[in-house]
Amino acid sequence: MKKKMKRIRREPAPALPLVVLLSSEAVPFSKTGGLADVAGALPIALRKAGFDVVLVTPRYGSVDPAKFRLAKRLKPMSVPLGAKSYDVDTFEGKVGDARVFLIDYPPAFAREGLYRDASGDFADNAFRFALFSRSLFELCLTFDLRPAILHANDWQAALALYYLKREFAAHPLFASTRGVFTIHNLAYQGLFPPAVLEELGVGWDLFKPEGIEFWGKVNFLKAGVLFADAVTTVSERYAAEIQTKEFGCGLEGLLQARAGVLSGIVNGIDADVWNPRTDKLIPATYSEVSMTGKGKCKLALQGELGLARDPDVPLIGMISRLADQKGFDLVEAAADWMMAEGVQVAVLGTGEAVHEAAARALAARYPGRFSATIGFNDGLAHRIEAGTDMFMMPSRYEPCGLNQLYSLRYGTVPIVRATGGLDDTVDDVDELGRSGTGFKFHDATGEALLGAVQRAVRAYSDAAVWRGIVRRGMARDFTWGTSAERYARLYRGLMADALAARVAG
Ligand code: ADP
């Protein structure tokens, strides 16, 4: 007798909760700093953590659709902002298996710089990033995206949370959407004259110190902190620091008031891009079991930068925006003593003219021993990470910092000031060199930096001790998995709150 086949009804797979990530820069499309690295890597990690993800970012002049296989979506959007509306287009593409939409409005974004050009910040930045933030909603309506979480990053995206709560809270598409705001650097707040409010469609009722006013100016970042359901920053230490006068940039009171929803989640690194085993941008690959490649990278780097070729001299790297935040003045203050320790230094950076000039002057004073490359050069950044023995980050403050994480992975021992994410991610080497992954100092002075460099040089002279420090650093895991899980937990908590509110309401 024939057995009756049981019919299995295939249920459609339940839709994954959608996270919409809003960032004004994202690798591989655009980058001025660590935010772009995060925005490029987090969507991929969140996909693995069980979310559907859409990344939304502007299409700047430098983004060539053909190069990134972006398709123009044939649904133009009319985005209202204040009393006017703007015809905005979108390009769609992928980062990993996450979807990305690029907001295309050439009058605002088809420029070479992201936020400024040689003459300074663009005069219409308030309009540009309000339009970017407001476009998100038309994008969701046009392409039927129903975000469980709207995750806005830094001041450029902060107004999205204002629009969510003030304009769209009752809209069926957004009624359950919860907002997350991440501060990547509190020093950049987006300050504009009050006259911009009308153009942005933001109510004057908010122009007060308890709202988004800040000493007579409109403060975009405040909107993010006020209207988000959860606020995060990029390390636990920095989350605590920004509630103090020293690091609070004038917003410590507000951040203390929001302490209940404020937390720190350390950034991960893109383990495919920054991996000494597979890195195509370095002359020889290596791993913790076979470090000979690192020696080759060092000699090649010395050759490339005009430093004396010497496998044994301690070579210290630094890759940085040359801004006051990054503490290059400490390097300047310590330089002569540091060079007397017999080290070589390789600096790569761009930024403030005084620091650029100081770096060039040091290179001129110590030919063959101190090299300064002024510019932004991704390939050289990889070769410095691979080819140096130590890496300096004397930051005055550092929300997270990525280069110390790359350094650990590349067997390059970090020398860092104990602040923010640097303090959270580097463990100080003990006196005997038996524990720890790097060298920390506390005071923001040349002497303190020098002290840490001297400790590092001493440890370097004992090959067994040094090998131990390098190995421990390389074994640390700062890839995105753990950090993405923490965002996932935060999102799920907010989604549960939203569900509870719906049931109660
Ligand atoms: P911040 O975002 O404050 O500039 P981070 O350490 O978080 O600092 O991230 C900086 C990122 O930019 C890193 O990926 C670093 O390698 C890169 N970077 C900074 N300056 C340069 C440069 N001159 N050339 C190449 N890469 C750079």
Side-chain angles (χ1 to χ4, degrees), residues 31-35 37 184-185 267 274 319-321 325-326 348-350 373-381 385 393 398-404 406:
K31 171 168 171 172
T32 67
L35 167 63
D37 291 315
H184 294 260
N185 191 335
N267 289 335
W274 294 96
I319 303 164
S320 179
R321 284 185 294 117
Q325 174 200 342
K326 301 292 183 181
L348 167 64
T350 57
T373 310
I374 304 303
F376 197 95
N377 184 334
D378 195 39
L380 181 56
E385 282 294 359
M393 292 182 77
E398 193 59 76
C400 177
L402 289 171
N403 275 115
Q404 83 280 15
Y406 303 150

Side-chain angles (χ1 to χ4, degrees), residues 42 127 198 237 250 280 331-332 365 437 442:
L42 184 57
F127 163 73
E198 244 134 86
R237 178 76 196 271
K280 293 201 170 58
V331 177
E332 289 163 55
R365 193 175 328 154
T437 55
H442 290 267

Side-chain angles (χ1 to χ4, degrees), residues 163-223:
Y163 297 126
L164 175 68
K165 297 292 167 173
R166 281 289 176 98
E167 278 189 44
F168 290 95
H171 192 288
L173 213 54
F174 303 100
S176 297
T177 306
R178 289 294 178 267
V180 176
F181 182 60
T182 297
I183 300 167
H184 294 260
N185 191 335
L186 186 62
Y188 299 89
Q189 300 180 1
L191 298 177
F192 302 100
V196 300
L197 281 178
E198 244 134 86
E199 190 184 19
L200 312 182
V202 173
W204 274 97
D205 61 310
L206 271 186
F207 195 65
K208 55 190 177 193
E210 315 82 85
I212 64 170
E213 186 199 341
F214 187 72
W215 304 104
K217 296 229 163 112
V218 172
N219 184 322
F220 273 37
L221 184 133
K222 274 185 94 177

Side-chain angles (χ1 to χ4, degrees), residues 217-239:
K217 296 229 163 112
V218 172
N219 184 322
F220 273 37
L221 184 133
K222 274 185 94 177
V225 176
L226 279 173
F227 290 103
D229 296 292
V231 179
T232 71
T233 184
V234 287
S235 68
E236 285 176 23
R237 178 76 196 271
Y238 193 61

Side-chain angles (χ1 to χ4, degrees), residues 164-425:
L164 175 68
K165 297 292 167 173
R166 281 289 176 98
E167 278 189 44
F168 290 95
H171 192 288
L173 213 54
F174 303 100
S176 297
T177 306
R178 289 294 178 267
V180 176
F181 182 60
T182 297
I183 300 167
H184 294 260
N185 191 335
L186 186 62
Y188 299 89
Q189 300 180 1
L191 298 177
F192 302 100
V196 300
L197 281 178
E198 244 134 86
E199 190 184 19
L200 312 182
V202 173
W204 274 97
D205 61 310
L206 271 186
F207 195 65
K208 55 190 177 193
E210 315 82 85
I212 64 170
E213 186 199 341
F214 187 72
W215 304 104
K217 296 229 163 112
V218 172
N219 184 322
F220 273 37
L221 184 133
K222 274 185 94 177
V225 176
L226 279 173
F227 290 103
D229 296 292
V231 179
T232 71
T233 184
V234 287
S235 68
E236 285 176 23
R237 178 76 196 271
Y238 193 61
E241 284 174 345
I242 57 177
Q243 296 177 53
T244 66
K245 196 167 170 18
E246 188 184 352
F247 295 96
C249 302
L251 295 182
E252 57 276 11
L254 171 64
L255 291 160
Q256 284 161 21
R258 301 287 281 151
V261 298
L262 171 65
S263 61
I265 301 178
V266 74
N267 289 335
I269 60 174
D270 188 326
D272 295 331
V273 176
W274 294 96
N275 184 352
R277 289 166 180 261
T278 54
D279 194 332
K280 293 201 170 58
L281 298 172
I282 61 178
T285 53
Y286 58 92
S287 71
E288 52 278 33
V289 287
S290 163
M291 295 290 281
T292 43
K294 187 164 176 69
K296 289 185 191 158
C297 289
K298 180 173 178 176
L299 288 176
L301 182 70
Q302 286 170 326
E304 176 178 355
L305 297 178
L307 298 168
R309 279 172 182 262
D310 178 349
D312 299 322
V313 65
L315 172 51
I316 310 177
M318 181 169 180
I319 303 164
S320 179
R321 284 185 294 117
L322 295 175
D324 286 341
Q325 174 200 342
K326 301 292 183 181
F328 192 71
D329 54 316
L330 270 54
V331 177
E332 289 163 55
D336 291 334
W337 298 321
M338 218 156 73
M339 299 314 286
E341 295 291 323
V343 301
Q344 290 182 347
V345 178
V347 173
L348 167 64
T350 57
E352 285 155 29
V354 285
H355 299 311
E356 291 186 353
R360 284 199 182 98
L362 284 168
R365 193 175 328 154
Y366 295 103
R369 298 187 54 207
F370 192 113
S371 116
T373 310
I374 304 303
F376 197 95
N377 184 334
D378 195 39
L380 181 56
H382 282 248
R383 293 193 294 280
I384 290 180
E385 282 294 359
T388 54
D389 302 296
M390 303 160 193
F391 195 92
M392 249 181 328
M393 292 182 77
S395 306
R396 290 178 186 282
Y397 69 92
E398 193 59 76
C400 177
L402 289 171
N403 275 115
Q404 83 280 15
L405 305 179
Y406 303 150
S407 299
L408 289 167
R409 198 140 202 256
Y410 279 69
T412 300
V413 175
I415 300 171
V416 301
R417 178 145 182 269
T419 184
L422 298 175
D423 201 24
D424 279 356
T425 56

